[in-house]
Amino acid sequence: MALSATPYKVNLSLTDLDRGVYATERFTVARHPSETETRLAVRLLAHALWYDETLAFGRGLSDVDEPALWHKSLDGRVLHWIEVGLPDADRLTWCSRRAERVSLLAYGKVDAWASRVLATAETLANVHVASLPDAPLAALAEGLPRTIDWAVMISEDTLYVTDGDGQHELTPAWLSGER
């Protein structure tokens, strides 16, 4: 018997001072059986960082032809493809051919990954790469509840996430491109 996805209810209050975006959202997101709480937290942070009214979660781990998140135009073109994790150079190249803009929010062993893949990413004009710091991300993702209540404020590219455990400050390091 196959394991099923775990639903998480999300209440997200977003204040993005850098872009003048203010939004409150309630939605359900599925966590794939092989997905960690950290990866789910990174997908939610990517949602906040590149928020748009039409930004949608892809099937991600369930379908390799879809990103973690994406923004499509009304005619079906992919305007913004958002990946999370540490994809290989072939995956980044493949994604860059399918979207006008590709953003990657990397986490984990970024230094080792960057030494192998970042040179390729830098040659792709539409690919932008940021990495998250390990310690604050681990503190945010630890024991992620099934109902997630986050207030996210973004100021000068720093994410201030307030949850039931307090405030977490995450400043993405831009390895290639920009937000």
Side-chain angles (χ1 to χ4, degrees):
M1 176 182 227
L3 296 173
S4 60
T6 304
Y8 283 73
K9 301 283 186 190
V10 179
N11 299 312
L12 178 67
S13 175
L14 175 64
T15 302
D16 187 339
L17 299 174
D18 296 344
R19 297 186 304 148
V21 173
Y22 307 93
T24 301
E25 289 192 301
R26 288 188 165 85
F27 55 90
T28 301
V29 64
R31 182 177 142 208
H32 190 274
S34 66
E35 183 176 32
T36 64
E37 288 179 332
T38 302
R39 186 176 189 282
L40 176 61
V42 173
R43 286 197 298 145
L44 295 173
L45 292 171
H47 180 78
L49 195 59
W50 290 292
Y51 173 80
D52 184 274
E53 289 177 353
T54 59
L55 189 64
F57 288 94
R59 287 181 278 204
L61 293 174
S62 300
D63 186 346
V64 296
D65 290 339
E66 288 190 13
L69 298 112
W70 55 5
H71 173 213
K72 288 183 167 182
S73 68
L74 293 175
D75 63 0
R77 288 178 300 115
V78 179
L79 302 174
H80 195 177
W81 181 293
I82 301 170
E83 289 283 312
V84 300
L86 302 172
D88 61 23
D90 291 341
R91 172 74 178 182
L92 283 177
T93 302
W94 184 85
C95 296
S96 74
R97 294 179 181 150
R98 282 158 180 73
E100 292 181 19
R101 177 184 172 92
V102 175
S103 296
L104 167 63
L105 196 53
Y107 67 96
K109 299 182 187 291
V110 176
D111 292 337
W113 170 85
S115 68
R116 295 185 325 271
V117 177
L118 196 56
T120 300
E122 289 173 340
T123 65
L124 304 169
N126 65 336
V127 174
H128 307 270
V129 180
S131 69
L132 290 172
D134 290 333
L137 177 59
L140 178 64
E142 184 180 353
L144 206 59
R146 293 283 298 277
T147 299
I148 300 168
D149 286 305
W150 282 2
V152 179
M153 183 179 77
I154 303 172
S155 178
E156 297 178 6
D157 280 337
T158 298
L159 291 96
Y160 301 92
V161 182
T162 304
D163 64 3
D165 295 329
Q167 188 176 67
H168 309 272
E169 183 177 328
L170 297 105
T171 303
W174 291 94
L175 306 177
S176 176
E178 60 189 7
R179 182 171 162 204

